[in-house]
Amino acid sequence: MPEESGGWRIDDLARRTSLTVDTIRFYQREGLLQPAARVGRTKEFGPDHLARLERIRELQAKRFSLAAIRALLDADRGVDLVEEVFAGDIGVSYTLEELIQKSGINEKTVAVLRSERLLRDPAEFGQSAYDANDLDMIRAVGELSRLGIPNPILIELARIYVDGVERMQSQVVEIFSGQYPTSLTPEEFVEFRSNADSAAHTLYPLFTRVVEYLHKRTTQRLALKAIELRAALPQTEDE
Amino acid sequence: MPEESGGWRIDDLARRTSLTVDTIRFYQREGLLQPAARVGRTKEFGPDHLARLERIRELQAKRFSLAAIRALLDADRGVDLVEEVFAGDIGVSYTLEELIQKSGINEKTVAVLRSERLLRDPAEFGQSAYDANDLDMIRAVGELSRLGIPNPILIELARIYVDGVERMQSQVVEIFSGQYPTSLTPEEFVEFRSNADSAAHTLYPLFTRVVEYLHKRTTQRLALKAIELRAALPQTEDE
């Protein structure tokens, strides 16, 4: 069907996007691409479909999982914020086996990291593969192990951090989705959300700076208290 | 008193360390310098005092507070770990007034940061002044405020992070000080502590990598869940 009539057939769309017809049909089945308009016996696609396919390609290049792409396309707000938060490291991607091999850690330890939920399936955080972030975390754990921190301690530490960060971030996400009680009026909340959406790109790095600061200062303060306590105790024989 | 006799008078010690006699007396009053040996009517100092004064000078150059220096000198273990954790940024140091001025934030907001315990007195984390870490955190908060995150939300976020990090790090410090129940035998615990002390320099950065990883992945996962939930809800009129 010629362009002048305002619609393209699926093979026209495929040619324009350099995708195969099968891929486009797959996206339709998965609910990623909106249905074509029916004109008589033909299905017609238009510029909206083209734009959607380009957006899908862009998100796939960032290695989002299909579920994450669907969620991002469906959500009408907060998309930029989430994209900023989700953005993977371009250019590296690992399977679980590759992670294990590259990290030099043994499979049993990786199994523990997984059962303690320190390492989750990439789909859970909206990505199609592991990347340099996961490799770096596993290497840090491997390093702690080599330095003589025994497994029972590593497991306790993993639990403390996994549960602690989960609790904090659940509350933070509740604040942004309006489920957390605050003193804002509904109008003020709408304005806050609108500001947060427009500033999305810079929000996450700013929060990260605050959390890293707190982690450092709190560790210093509590370590100092622990030392003062120890110094104040009478020395025992084996010390 | 000549060196051959094995002891120095306080002015000999002052000359050797380029400190004033008053400073040495001050350190003694503060309990930082061990008492001199009494030989007849004179007090004699030796190489141990010299070494201690050099150590104090070194710690002061890192801008530790006197309380932190006393704790570090008293503690017979874990000193390296704590030094690594405490190490300030060399070369910058700010008073509260300088922090306010440099950050460009208003005094009222800084007062809120202090009452919410996001910003504490440097003495609480063992330092004699604020440094670039504190300035950076205040600037991040100022940036969030300028981007339109209202004060009630900033206060709620500060509370979530302050309480959350405090809870996590208290447990971590308990693990290292042996107050946290683990499956280690007393012998295994002693070995763990000894390993931790010898590896002290590298431990803190390794923990930081794990926490930053978890912060990122947890945020991604919970944000994805929130979007999927929103996409699954029937659209309301004002959306």
Side-chain angles (χ1 to χ4, degrees):
Chain A
M1 184 156 296
E3 271 185 54
E4 301 83 67
S5 83
W8 308 314
R9 287 183 326 213
I10 194 164
D11 46 340
D12 294 323
L13 187 64
R15 199 166 27 76
R16 282 171 182 274
T17 53
S18 309
L19 294 168
T20 66
V21 168
D22 279 351
T23 302
I24 294 176
R25 291 211 170 106
F26 170 74
Y27 289 155
Q28 286 196 295
R29 278 199 307 278
E30 291 290 318
L32 298 176
L33 187 65
Q34 62 271 49
R38 261 193 193 280
V39 178
R41 293 180 56 194
T42 15
K43 289 183 179 173
E44 290 191 358
F45 295 88
D48 287 354
H49 297 89
L50 187 63
R52 174 67 68 102
L53 289 174
E54 275 160 7
R55 178 94 176 111
I56 294 173
R57 191 208 304 269
E58 193 186 304
L59 292 170
Q60 279 192 318
K62 291 178 180 170
R63 289 206 322 286
F64 289 105
S65 66
L66 282 188
I69 293 175
R70 188 184 301 113
L72 286 168
L73 294 171
D74 287 350
D76 56 347
R77 286 181 173 204
V79 174
D80 285 348
L81 174 58
V82 171
E83 247 194 271
E84 173 68 26
V85 169
F86 280 164
D89 295 341
I90 311 294
V92 281
S93 107
Y94 308 117
T95 63
L96 183 61
E97 292 66 36
E98 288 168 337
L99 263 193
I100 294 173
Q101 197 201 330
K102 284 207 171 273
S103 66
I105 211 170
N106 65 50
E107 281 190 46
K108 210 180 126 199
T109 308
V110 170
V112 172
L113 294 183
R114 281 162 62 81
S115 69
E116 295 300 333
R117 296 162 301 136
L118 191 54
L119 185 69
R120 292 175 180 257
D121 288 333
E124 288 189 74
F125 44 86
Q127 286 177 14
S128 59
Y130 290 111
D131 66 23
N133 288 290
D134 308 283
L135 181 59
D136 181 71
M137 181 276 290
I138 295 180
R139 282 183 170 155
V141 173
E143 193 59 31
L144 288 168
S145 182
R146 263 187 300 279
L147 290 170
I149 310 299
N151 275 344
I153 297 283
L154 287 178
I155 290 173
E156 283 306 329
L157 290 169
R159 283 181 191 164
I160 290 168
Y161 281 122
V162 166
D163 293 348
V165 174
E166 177 90 17
R167 193 185 291 118
M168 282 195 307
Q169 290 311 101
S170 299
Q171 292 174 296
V172 171
V173 168
E174 279 175 17
I175 283 199
F176 277 86
S177 57
Q179 302 163 282
Y180 195 94
T182 65
S183 62
L184 295 192
T185 65
E187 292 71 31
E188 286 168 339
F189 183 79
V190 168
E191 195 191 339
F192 152 56
R193 275 310 309 257
S194 155
N195 292 341
D197 286 349
S198 0
H201 278 296
T202 39
L203 285 187
Y204 181 71
L206 290 171
F207 282 121
T208 304
R209 275 160 63 185
V210 174
V211 173
E212 285 174 21
Y213 171 81
L214 261 177
H215 183 232
K216 180 169 197 161
R217 289 301 189 220
T218 307
T219 305
Q220 291 174 325
R221 190 165 45 81
L222 297 177
L224 181 61
K225 269 160 83 173
I227 292 177
E228 285 173 342
L229 201 67
R230 196 159 51 181
L233 290 175
Q235 301 283 304
T236 56
E237 276 168 45
D238 62 1
E239 276 187 322
Chain B
M1 184 158 293
E3 272 183 53
E4 301 84 66
S5 83
W8 309 314
R9 288 183 324 213
I10 195 164
D11 47 339
D12 294 324
L13 187 64
R15 199 167 25 78
R16 282 171 183 273
T17 53
S18 309
L19 294 168
T20 65
V21 167
D22 278 352
T23 303
I24 294 176
R25 290 209 169 109
F26 171 73
Y27 289 155
Q28 286 196 296
R29 277 198 308 277
E30 290 291 317
L32 297 176
L33 187 65
Q34 62 271 48
R38 263 193 190 280
V39 177
R41 293 179 56 192
T42 15
K43 289 182 178 173
E44 290 192 358
F45 296 88
D48 287 353
H49 296 90
L50 187 63
R52 174 67 67 100
L53 288 175
E54 275 160 6
R55 178 93 176 112
I56 294 173
R57 191 208 305 268
E58 195 186 302
L59 292 170
Q60 279 191 318
K62 292 178 179 170
R63 289 208 320 288
F64 289 104
S65 65
L66 282 188
I69 293 175
R70 187 183 302 114
L72 285 167
L73 294 172
D74 286 351
D76 56 347
R77 286 180 173 204
V79 174
D80 285 349
L81 174 59
V82 172
E83 246 194 272
E84 174 68 26
V85 168
F86 281 162
D89 294 341
I90 311 292
V92 279
S93 106
Y94 307 118
T95 63
L96 183 62
E97 291 66 35
E98 287 167 338
L99 264 192
I100 294 173
Q101 197 201 330
K102 282 205 172 276
S103 67
I105 212 170
N106 65 50
E107 280 190 46
K108 210 180 128 198
T109 308
V110 171
V112 172
L113 294 182
R114 281 163 62 81
S115 69
E116 295 300 332
R117 294 162 302 137
L118 191 55
L119 185 69
R120 291 174 182 258
D121 287 332
E124 289 190 73
F125 44 86
Q127 287 177 13
S128 58
Y130 291 111
D131 65 23
N133 289 289
D134 308 283
L135 181 59
D136 181 71
M137 182 276 289
I138 296 180
R139 282 183 169 155
V141 173
E143 193 59 30
L144 288 167
S145 182
R146 264 188 298 280
L147 290 169
I149 311 298
N151 276 344
I153 297 283
L154 288 178
I155 290 173
E156 283 306 328
L157 290 168
R159 284 180 190 165
I160 290 169
Y161 281 122
V162 166
D163 292 349
V165 173
E166 176 90 17
R167 193 185 290 117
M168 284 196 305
Q169 290 311 101
S170 299
Q171 292 175 297
V172 171
V173 168
E174 279 175 16
I175 283 199
F176 278 86
S177 58
Q179 301 163 283
Y180 195 94
T182 66
S183 62
L184 295 191
T185 64
E187 292 72 30
E188 285 168 339
F189 182 79
V190 168
E191 195 191 338
F192 151 57
R193 275 310 309 258
S194 153
N195 292 340
D197 286 349
S198 8
H201 279 296
T202 38
L203 286 187
Y204 181 70
L206 290 170
F207 282 121
T208 304
R209 276 160 63 185
V210 174
V211 173
E212 284 172 23
Y213 171 81
L214 261 177
H215 183 232
K216 179 169 197 161
R217 289 302 190 220
T218 307
T219 306
Q220 291 174 325
R221 190 166 45 79
L222 297 178
L224 181 60
K225 270 161 81 175
I227 291 177
E228 285 172 341
L229 201 67
R230 196 160 49 179
L233 290 175
Q235 300 284 302
T236 56
E237 276 168 47
D238 61 2
E239 277 187 323

Short mmCIF file of all heavy atoms in Angstrom, two decimals, chain B residues 45-92:
data_model
loop_
_atom_site.label_atom_id
_atom_site.label_comp_id
_atom_site.label_asym_id
_atom_site.label_seq_id
_atom_site.Cartn_x
_atom_site.Cartn_y
_atom_site.Cartn_z
N PHE B 45 62.27 11.04 79.53
CA PHE B 45 61.52 10.55 78.37
C PHE B 45 62.45 9.70 77.52
O PHE B 45 63.67 9.87 77.56
CB PHE B 45 60.97 11.71 77.55
CG PHE B 45 59.96 12.54 78.30
CD1 PHE B 45 60.36 13.61 79.08
CD2 PHE B 45 58.61 12.22 78.21
CE1 PHE B 45 59.43 14.37 79.78
CE2 PHE B 45 57.68 12.97 78.89
CZ PHE B 45 58.08 14.05 79.68
N GLY B 46 61.87 8.80 76.73
CA GLY B 46 62.72 7.93 75.90
C GLY B 46 62.16 7.77 74.49
O GLY B 46 61.22 8.47 74.11
N PRO B 47 62.71 6.85 73.72
CA PRO B 47 62.29 6.63 72.32
C PRO B 47 60.81 6.31 72.18
O PRO B 47 60.19 6.66 71.17
CB PRO B 47 63.15 5.43 71.88
CG PRO B 47 64.31 5.41 72.82
CD PRO B 47 63.82 5.97 74.11
N ASP B 48 60.21 5.66 73.20
CA ASP B 48 58.77 5.37 73.13
C ASP B 48 57.94 6.65 73.09
O ASP B 48 56.94 6.75 72.37
CB ASP B 48 58.33 4.55 74.35
CG ASP B 48 58.82 3.11 74.24
OD1 ASP B 48 59.37 2.75 73.17
OD2 ASP B 48 58.64 2.36 75.22
N HIS B 49 58.38 7.63 73.89
CA HIS B 49 57.67 8.91 73.89
C HIS B 49 57.83 9.61 72.55
O HIS B 49 56.89 10.20 72.02
CB HIS B 49 58.20 9.81 75.02
CG HIS B 49 57.96 9.25 76.38
ND1 HIS B 49 58.87 8.43 77.01
CD2 HIS B 49 56.90 9.37 77.24
CE1 HIS B 49 58.39 8.08 78.20
NE2 HIS B 49 57.19 8.63 78.36
N LEU B 50 59.05 9.53 72.02
CA LEU B 50 59.32 10.15 70.72
C LEU B 50 58.42 9.53 69.65
O LEU B 50 57.78 10.24 68.87
CB LEU B 50 60.80 9.92 70.37
CG LEU B 50 61.34 10.63 69.12
CD1 LEU B 50 61.28 12.14 69.29
CD2 LEU B 50 62.80 10.20 68.86
N ALA B 51 58.34 8.19 69.65
CA ALA B 51 57.53 7.49 68.65
C ALA B 51 56.06 7.87 68.80
O ALA B 51 55.35 8.12 67.82
CB ALA B 51 57.69 5.98 68.80
N ARG B 52 55.61 7.97 70.08
CA ARG B 52 54.21 8.31 70.32
C ARG B 52 53.90 9.73 69.80
O ARG B 52 52.87 9.96 69.15
CB ARG B 52 53.92 8.22 71.82
CG ARG B 52 52.54 8.69 72.26
CD ARG B 52 51.41 7.80 71.75
NE ARG B 52 51.41 6.47 72.33
CZ ARG B 52 50.62 6.07 73.32
NH1 ARG B 52 49.75 6.90 73.84
NH2 ARG B 52 50.68 4.84 73.76
N LEU B 53 54.81 10.65 70.03
CA LEU B 53 54.58 12.03 69.57
C LEU B 53 54.56 12.10 68.04
O LEU B 53 53.79 12.86 67.44
CB LEU B 53 55.65 12.97 70.13
CG LEU B 53 55.52 13.27 71.63
CD1 LEU B 53 56.70 14.10 72.12
CD2 LEU B 53 54.19 13.99 71.94
N GLU B 54 55.40 11.28 67.42
CA GLU B 54 55.39 11.27 65.94
C GLU B 54 54.07 10.72 65.41
O GLU B 54 53.53 11.19 64.42
CB GLU B 54 56.58 10.48 65.40
CG GLU B 54 57.82 11.37 65.31
CD GLU B 54 59.13 10.59 65.25
OE1 GLU B 54 59.08 9.35 65.15
OE2 GLU B 54 60.20 11.25 65.30
N ARG B 55 53.58 9.71 66.12
CA ARG B 55 52.30 9.11 65.74
C ARG B 55 51.14 10.12 65.91
O ARG B 55 50.26 10.22 65.07
CB ARG B 55 52.05 7.88 66.62
CG ARG B 55 50.76 7.17 66.38
CD ARG B 55 50.93 6.05 65.38
NE ARG B 55 49.67 5.32 65.25
CZ ARG B 55 48.94 5.34 64.16
NH1 ARG B 55 49.35 5.99 63.10
NH2 ARG B 55 47.81 4.69 64.11
N ILE B 56 51.19 10.88 67.00
CA ILE B 56 50.16 11.89 67.23
C ILE B 56 50.19 12.94 66.11
O ILE B 56 49.15 13.32 65.56
CB ILE B 56 50.35 12.58 68.60
CG1 ILE B 56 50.12 11.58 69.74
CG2 ILE B 56 49.43 13.79 68.76
CD1 ILE B 56 50.45 12.11 71.13
N ARG B 57 51.39 13.36 65.76
CA ARG B 57 51.54 14.36 64.70
C ARG B 57 50.95 13.85 63.37
O ARG B 57 50.25 14.56 62.66
CB ARG B 57 53.02 14.71 64.51
CG ARG B 57 53.24 15.93 63.61
CD ARG B 57 54.54 15.87 62.89
NE ARG B 57 55.68 15.71 63.79
CZ ARG B 57 56.38 16.74 64.30
NH1 ARG B 57 56.06 17.96 63.98
NH2 ARG B 57 57.41 16.52 65.09
N GLU B 58 51.25 12.57 63.11
CA GLU B 58 50.75 11.92 61.88
C GLU B 58 49.21 11.89 61.86
O GLU B 58 48.58 12.19 60.86
CB GLU B 58 51.29 10.48 61.93
CG GLU B 58 51.25 9.67 60.68
CD GLU B 58 51.72 8.24 61.03
OE1 GLU B 58 52.85 8.10 61.54
OE2 GLU B 58 50.93 7.29 60.82
N LEU B 59 48.62 11.53 63.01
CA LEU B 59 47.16 11.46 63.08
C LEU B 59 46.53 12.85 63.01
O LEU B 59 45.47 13.03 62.39
CB LEU B 59 46.72 10.73 64.36
CG LEU B 59 47.07 9.23 64.42
CD1 LEU B 59 46.81 8.66 65.80
CD2 LEU B 59 46.25 8.45 63.38
N GLN B 60 47.21 13.84 63.60
CA GLN B 60 46.67 15.20 63.52
C GLN B 60 46.72 15.72 62.10
O GLN B 60 45.83 16.46 61.67
CB GLN B 60 47.45 16.13 64.45
CG GLN B 60 46.97 16.00 65.88
CD GLN B 60 47.53 17.09 66.76
OE1 GLN B 60 48.71 17.42 66.66
NE2 GLN B 60 46.69 17.63 67.64
N ALA B 61 47.76 15.32 61.35
CA ALA B 61 47.87 15.75 59.96
C ALA B 61 46.68 15.21 59.17
O ALA B 61 46.26 15.79 58.17
CB ALA B 61 49.18 15.27 59.35
N LYS B 62 46.13 14.06 59.62
CA LYS B 62 44.94 13.52 58.96
C LYS B 62 43.66 14.11 59.54
O LYS B 62 42.56 13.65 59.23
CB LYS B 62 44.93 11.99 59.11
CG LYS B 62 46.04 11.31 58.33
CD LYS B 62 46.01 9.82 58.55
CE LYS B 62 47.12 9.16 57.73
NZ LYS B 62 47.27 7.73 58.10
N ARG B 63 43.83 15.09 60.40
CA ARG B 63 42.71 15.83 60.99
C ARG B 63 41.80 15.00 61.87
O ARG B 63 40.59 15.22 61.94
CB ARG B 63 41.92 16.57 59.92
CG ARG B 63 42.68 17.75 59.32
CD ARG B 63 41.75 18.81 58.83
NE ARG B 63 40.60 18.18 58.20
CZ ARG B 63 40.64 17.58 57.05
NH1 ARG B 63 41.76 17.54 56.36
NH2 ARG B 63 39.57 17.02 56.56
N PHE B 64 42.37 14.02 62.57
CA PHE B 64 41.58 13.34 63.59
C PHE B 64 41.40 14.27 64.78
O PHE B 64 42.30 15.07 65.09
CB PHE B 64 42.31 12.07 64.08
CG PHE B 64 42.33 10.98 63.06
CD1 PHE B 64 43.47 10.70 62.35
CD2 PHE B 64 41.19 10.24 62.82
CE1 PHE B 64 43.49 9.70 61.40
CE2 PHE B 64 41.21 9.23 61.88
CZ PHE B 64 42.35 8.96 61.16
N SER B 65 40.27 14.15 65.45
CA SER B 65 40.07 14.91 66.69
C SER B 65 40.93 14.30 67.78
O SER B 65 41.39 13.17 67.67
CB SER B 65 38.59 14.86 67.09
OG SER B 65 38.25 13.52 67.42
N LEU B 66 41.13 15.05 68.87
CA LEU B 66 41.92 14.53 70.00
C LEU B 66 41.28 13.27 70.56
O LEU B 66 41.97 12.31 70.91
CB LEU B 66 42.07 15.58 71.10
CG LEU B 66 43.10 16.69 70.86
CD1 LEU B 66 43.26 17.54 72.11
CD2 LEU B 66 44.45 16.11 70.44
N ALA B 67 39.94 13.26 70.63
CA ALA B 67 39.24 12.08 71.17
C ALA B 67 39.53 10.87 70.29
O ALA B 67 39.78 9.77 70.81
CB ALA B 67 37.74 12.35 71.23
N ALA B 68 39.52 11.07 68.98
CA ALA B 68 39.78 9.95 68.08
C ALA B 68 41.22 9.49 68.21
O ALA B 68 41.51 8.30 68.20
CB ALA B 68 39.48 10.34 66.64
N ILE B 69 42.14 10.44 68.35
CA ILE B 69 43.56 10.08 68.49
C ILE B 69 43.76 9.28 69.78
O ILE B 69 44.43 8.25 69.79
CB ILE B 69 44.45 11.34 68.49
CG1 ILE B 69 44.41 12.00 67.10
CG2 ILE B 69 45.89 11.00 68.88
CD1 ILE B 69 45.15 13.32 67.01
N ARG B 70 43.12 9.74 70.86
CA ARG B 70 43.24 9.02 72.12
C ARG B 70 42.71 7.59 71.95
O ARG B 70 43.36 6.62 72.34
CB ARG B 70 42.48 9.73 73.23
CG ARG B 70 42.73 9.11 74.61
CD ARG B 70 41.91 9.77 75.70
NE ARG B 70 42.17 11.17 75.82
CZ ARG B 70 41.30 12.15 75.56
NH1 ARG B 70 40.08 11.85 75.14
NH2 ARG B 70 41.63 13.41 75.69
N ALA B 71 41.54 7.47 71.31
CA ALA B 71 40.94 6.14 71.12
C ALA B 71 41.85 5.27 70.26
O ALA B 71 42.08 4.09 70.55
CB ALA B 71 39.57 6.27 70.48
N LEU B 72 42.41 5.85 69.22
CA LEU B 72 43.27 5.08 68.31
C LEU B 72 44.53 4.62 69.03
O LEU B 72 45.00 3.51 68.82
CB LEU B 72 43.65 5.94 67.09
CG LEU B 72 42.53 6.12 66.06
CD1 LEU B 72 42.89 7.22 65.07
CD2 LEU B 72 42.28 4.82 65.32
N LEU B 73 45.10 5.50 69.87
CA LEU B 73 46.33 5.15 70.57
C LEU B 73 46.05 4.11 71.65
O LEU B 73 46.89 3.25 71.92
CB LEU B 73 46.96 6.39 71.20
CG LEU B 73 47.48 7.45 70.22
CD1 LEU B 73 47.88 8.72 70.97
CD2 LEU B 73 48.65 6.92 69.41
N ASP B 74 44.88 4.19 72.26
CA ASP B 74 44.53 3.25 73.33
C ASP B 74 44.21 1.87 72.79
O ASP B 74 44.53 0.86 73.39
CB ASP B 74 43.33 3.76 74.13
CG ASP B 74 43.70 4.92 75.04
OD1 ASP B 74 44.91 5.20 75.17
OD2 ASP B 74 42.78 5.54 75.59
N ALA B 75 43.51 1.85 71.66
CA ALA B 75 43.07 0.57 71.13
C ALA B 75 44.28 -0.22 70.67
O ALA B 75 45.16 0.31 70.02
CB ALA B 75 42.11 0.78 69.98
N ASP B 76 44.33 -1.46 71.02
CA ASP B 76 45.49 -2.24 70.59
C ASP B 76 45.20 -3.05 69.34
O ASP B 76 46.04 -3.74 68.81
CB ASP B 76 45.98 -3.16 71.72
CG ASP B 76 44.87 -4.06 72.22
OD1 ASP B 76 43.70 -3.80 71.88
OD2 ASP B 76 45.17 -5.02 72.95
N ARG B 77 44.00 -2.99 68.86
CA ARG B 77 43.63 -3.75 67.67
C ARG B 77 42.74 -2.91 66.76
O ARG B 77 42.08 -2.00 67.19
CB ARG B 77 42.80 -4.99 68.05
CG ARG B 77 43.62 -6.06 68.68
CD ARG B 77 42.71 -7.19 68.99
NE ARG B 77 43.50 -8.32 69.45
CZ ARG B 77 43.10 -9.56 69.38
NH1 ARG B 77 41.92 -9.83 68.84
NH2 ARG B 77 43.84 -10.53 69.82
N GLY B 78 42.67 -3.32 65.53
CA GLY B 78 41.71 -2.71 64.62
C GLY B 78 42.07 -1.28 64.26
O GLY B 78 41.28 -0.57 63.66
N VAL B 79 43.27 -0.85 64.65
CA VAL B 79 43.65 0.53 64.43
C VAL B 79 43.75 0.84 62.94
O VAL B 79 43.28 1.86 62.46
CB VAL B 79 44.97 0.85 65.15
CG1 VAL B 79 45.45 2.24 64.81
CG2 VAL B 79 44.77 0.70 66.65
N ASP B 80 44.36 -0.08 62.19
CA ASP B 80 44.51 0.16 60.76
C ASP B 80 43.15 0.27 60.09
O ASP B 80 42.92 1.12 59.23
CB ASP B 80 45.28 -0.98 60.09
CG ASP B 80 46.76 -0.88 60.43
OD1 ASP B 80 47.16 0.16 60.99
OD2 ASP B 80 47.48 -1.83 60.15
N LEU B 81 42.22 -0.63 60.48
CA LEU B 81 40.89 -0.61 59.90
C LEU B 81 40.25 0.74 60.11
O LEU B 81 39.72 1.36 59.19
CB LEU B 81 40.03 -1.70 60.53
CG LEU B 81 38.56 -1.70 60.10
CD1 LEU B 81 38.44 -1.86 58.59
CD2 LEU B 81 37.79 -2.81 60.79
N VAL B 82 40.36 1.22 61.34
CA VAL B 82 39.70 2.47 61.67
C VAL B 82 40.37 3.64 60.98
O VAL B 82 39.72 4.56 60.50
CB VAL B 82 39.67 2.64 63.20
CG1 VAL B 82 39.18 4.03 63.56
CG2 VAL B 82 38.77 1.59 63.79
N GLU B 83 41.71 3.58 60.88
CA GLU B 83 42.40 4.67 60.19
C GLU B 83 41.95 4.75 58.75
O GLU B 83 41.72 5.82 58.20
CB GLU B 83 43.90 4.42 60.23
CG GLU B 83 44.61 5.46 61.06
CD GLU B 83 46.09 5.42 60.83
OE1 GLU B 83 46.73 4.64 61.55
OE2 GLU B 83 46.57 6.12 59.94
N GLU B 84 41.79 3.56 58.13
CA GLU B 84 41.34 3.52 56.74
C GLU B 84 39.94 4.12 56.63
O GLU B 84 39.65 4.90 55.74
CB GLU B 84 41.33 2.05 56.27
CG GLU B 84 40.76 1.81 54.90
CD GLU B 84 41.62 2.40 53.81
OE1 GLU B 84 42.84 2.56 54.00
OE2 GLU B 84 41.05 2.72 52.75
N VAL B 85 39.09 3.75 57.58
CA VAL B 85 37.71 4.23 57.56
C VAL B 85 37.64 5.73 57.83
O VAL B 85 36.87 6.46 57.23
CB VAL B 85 36.88 3.46 58.62
CG1 VAL B 85 35.53 4.12 58.82
CG2 VAL B 85 36.70 2.01 58.20
N PHE B 86 38.52 6.19 58.74
CA PHE B 86 38.46 7.59 59.16
C PHE B 86 39.10 8.55 58.17
O PHE B 86 38.76 9.72 58.16
CB PHE B 86 39.18 7.77 60.49
CG PHE B 86 38.37 7.35 61.67
CD1 PHE B 86 38.96 7.11 62.88
CD2 PHE B 86 37.00 7.22 61.57
CE1 PHE B 86 38.23 6.72 63.98
CE2 PHE B 86 36.25 6.83 62.66
CZ PHE B 86 36.86 6.59 63.88
N ALA B 87 40.06 8.04 57.40
CA ALA B 87 40.93 8.93 56.65
C ALA B 87 40.16 10.06 55.97
O ALA B 87 39.29 9.83 55.15
CB ALA B 87 41.73 8.13 55.63
N GLY B 88 40.45 11.27 56.36
CA GLY B 88 39.79 12.42 55.76
C GLY B 88 40.47 12.80 54.46
O GLY B 88 41.48 12.22 54.08
N ASP B 89 39.88 13.78 53.78
CA ASP B 89 40.53 14.27 52.57
C ASP B 89 41.60 15.25 52.99
O ASP B 89 41.33 16.23 53.66
CB ASP B 89 39.50 14.96 51.68
CG ASP B 89 38.49 13.96 51.17
OD1 ASP B 89 38.79 12.76 51.19
OD2 ASP B 89 37.41 14.39 50.75
N ILE B 90 42.82 14.95 52.60
CA ILE B 90 43.93 15.81 52.97
C ILE B 90 43.75 17.17 52.27
O ILE B 90 43.35 17.24 51.13
CB ILE B 90 45.27 15.19 52.52
CG1 ILE B 90 45.35 13.73 52.95
CG2 ILE B 90 46.44 15.99 53.04
CD1 ILE B 90 45.46 13.48 54.42
N GLY B 91 44.04 18.20 52.99
CA GLY B 91 44.17 19.50 52.34
C GLY B 91 42.96 20.40 52.37
O GLY B 91 43.09 21.59 52.11
N VAL B 92 41.76 19.86 52.65
CA VAL B 92 40.62 20.77 52.78
C VAL B 92 40.02 20.59 54.16
O VAL B 92 39.93 19.48 54.66
CB VAL B 92 39.52 20.52 51.73
CG1 VAL B 92 39.88 21.16 50.41
CG2 VAL B 92 39.26 19.04 51.57
#
